[in-house]
Amino acid sequence: CMPHLTSEQEAITGLNWEAPENSWSVNEPPSNLEGEGFSLGDVPHDFRMVDQHGQDVSLWQFYVSVILLDISTMWCGPCQQIARDVNETWEDYRDEGFIYITVLPEDLEGETVDAGDLDEWVENFSIEAPVLADNQGYGYQVEPNKVWPVLMLIDRKMEIVAERLTATDEAIREAIEGEL
């Protein structure tokens, strides 16, 4: 069963993609890139979310990078546990073309995340990599059953090569190293 997509997500292809203005690296995706879904081998649908600096960020702007997409909630214990290793993991692999993106669909009360929540998450776990407020329900499209965290590894061609990594630093690093 395919997740429900907004008309904005349905319309986004590499052909009509526009680079957001932000301080992260930007690589324009090819014009034939099209979001397919969230399963192994799929190109994930693009999104636009606000990061901890108040900037719009697009998933597809990281085309040609190996991406760990970490969809976590602030209230989730395993999510908090892996958040402790985010910055070190990103620092260890970023020079090899790796980006660690955290998407937060829920705050500590299970409500929508705001700028203060992003600041709290970033500060509590000393994260410098992108942390994004999911106010569009992207995380719920990936995981409608709300079983968090969801850890997806996306290759340099923007295809999902691991759709549900085990939430341990060891498993995350093993997957990253296998793709780099």
Side-chain angles (χ1 to χ4, degrees):
C1 154
M2 286 296 295
H4 173 72
L5 302 176
T6 64
S7 58
E8 179 181 299
Q9 287 170 317
E10 289 172 348
I12 295 176
T13 66
L15 187 61
N16 61 9
W17 184 87
E18 290 184 28
E21 290 187 30
N22 61 47
S23 55
W24 307 107
S25 65
V26 176
N27 292 300
E28 190 163 325
S31 61
N32 65 345
L33 192 68
E34 193 167 337
E36 300 167 322
F38 304 107
S39 300
L40 207 56
D42 286 350
V43 171
H45 298 284
D46 193 22
F47 57 65
R48 296 288 168 122
M49 295 182 201
V50 175
D51 71 5
Q52 69 264 43
H53 307 294
Q55 305 172 105
D56 280 340
V57 174
S58 161
L59 175 62
W60 287 6
Q61 80 178 64
F62 300 104
Y63 187 80
V64 306
S65 295
V66 172
I67 304 164
L68 183 75
L69 185 60
D70 170 357
I71 304 173
S72 286
T73 60
M74 293 181 71
W75 54 262
C76 159
C79 302
Q80 293 171 14
Q81 188 61 41
I82 60 171
R84 299 181 206 298
D85 298 313
V86 168
N87 213 61
E88 185 178 339
T89 301
W90 184 49
E91 290 292 333
D92 287 350
Y93 301 110
R94 69 188 285 187
D95 290 342
E96 297 175 58
F98 169 74
I99 187 78
Y100 196 123
I101 302 172
T102 303
V103 170
L104 296 173
E106 295 180 10
D107 67 11
L108 290 170
E109 288 78 40
E111 302 295 327
T112 304
V113 173
D114 63 23
D117 295 319
L118 291 180
D119 290 343
E120 182 180 335
W121 191 262
V122 164
E123 188 176 311
N124 283 349
F125 300 108
S126 302
I127 298 174
E128 295 175 17
V131 177
L132 312 175
D134 179 7
N135 297 324
Q136 306 164 3
Y138 189 87
Y140 304 123
Q141 292 173 27
V142 175
E143 179 46 69
N145 296 318
K146 301 180 183 181
V147 179
W148 314 114
V150 174
L151 301 164
M152 283 193 285
L153 192 66
I154 302 167
D155 71 9
R156 297 180 191 279
K157 296 179 201 162
M158 200 54 69
E159 292 178 5
I160 298 170
V161 292
E163 60 182 327
R164 294 285 192 270
L165 291 172
T166 303
T168 65
D169 186 52
E170 181 181 5
I172 291 168
R173 286 174 175 271
E174 185 178 315
I176 293 166
E177 289 170 8
E179 196 54 41
L180 289 174

